[in-house]
Amino acid sequence: MTQTQPEETHPFATASRTVTWQRPGQGDLTALTAMTGLEQLRSIEQGLMPRPPVMDTIDVCGFTAEEGRVVVEMRAQEFHYNPLGGMHGGMIATLLDTAAGCSVHSTLAAGEGYTSLDLTTKFLRAVTLDSGLLRCEGTVLQRGRRTALAQAELRDEAGRLVAHATSSCMIFS
């Protein structure tokens, strides 16, 4: 006897999404390691090095970097939603972590690296499709030899603060 599975049917309307990303590790990695952190971020911004795949996964549409400051933009979309009808906190935390961490990245000397030690996040208001274009600005509050403290503010299209985070990062050579 052969048993087959019935075709899956959905009782609710569905949508689909295809994600394409640039494979990491492409480009001149020797040149990349000789760059400062800001030069690395700008090479990604200018398309000279591939974007991190997470940026395409969550659909980041804007990224700018200067020393000690980074801005990441993303439009609130349905595929970011949680079961309660708002953007999932993990998406918000990802934006905050990206902006705070990359602001530290922008201060690195050639040959230095970093990793996040923590991320303390405060969710202040719901984010929905009506929130529009989200703008997350990360800034370095303090940069030492081995650690850095950064913050990130996430604002909706109307300029309202929707979330805030602080992040400690460890710097290594």
Side-chain angles (χ1 to χ4, degrees):
M1 178 169 139
T2 304
Q3 183 175 3
T4 59
Q5 296 293 328
E7 275 191 43
E8 185 178 341
T9 59
H10 299 280
F12 305 106
T14 62
S16 65
R17 177 172 178 259
T18 301
V19 177
T20 303
W21 63 90
Q22 298 167 343
R23 309 260 338 248
Q26 298 181 76
D28 186 348
L29 298 180
T30 303
L32 185 68
T33 58
M35 294 178 188
T36 66
L38 182 58
E39 290 169 336
Q40 291 172 352
L41 293 174
R42 286 191 173 154
S43 72
I44 293 168
E45 186 181 340
Q46 295 164 2
L48 303 173
M49 294 298 290
R51 285 168 37 122
V54 69
M55 292 177 79
D56 295 309
T57 301
I58 65 173
D59 208 17
V60 167
C61 62
F63 181 88
T64 56
E66 58 188 62
E67 187 161 353
R69 182 177 169 272
V70 167
V71 175
V72 182
E73 294 179 324
M74 180 178 83
R75 194 160 288 287
Q77 297 182 63
E78 271 185 354
F79 63 85
H80 297 137
Y81 271 30
N82 63 27
L84 298 175
M87 183 180 279
H88 190 282
M91 288 291 152
I92 293 169
T94 299
L95 277 175
L96 292 164
D97 182 58
T98 299
C102 285
S103 73
V104 171
H105 190 131
S106 73
T107 69
L108 299 177
E112 284 186 318
Y114 82 100
T115 189
S116 297
L117 295 172
D118 61 28
L119 181 72
T120 302
T121 305
K122 302 294 182 193
F123 302 103
L124 305 172
R125 78 174 48 237
V127 177
T128 66
L129 293 175
D130 293 336
S131 300
L133 183 66
L134 303 173
R135 185 176 190 276
C136 192
E137 182 175 344
T139 55
V140 174
L141 297 173
Q142 190 277 333
R143 166 64 154 87
R145 280 186 331 106
R146 295 288 170 236
T147 61
L149 177 64
Q151 71 171 355
E153 292 184 346
L154 180 63
R155 295 185 181 274
D156 65 13
E157 195 161 355
R160 294 177 297 220
L161 184 64
V162 298
H164 179 270
T166 57
S167 177
S168 300
C169 296
M170 180 174 62
I171 299 162
F172 50 88
S173 299

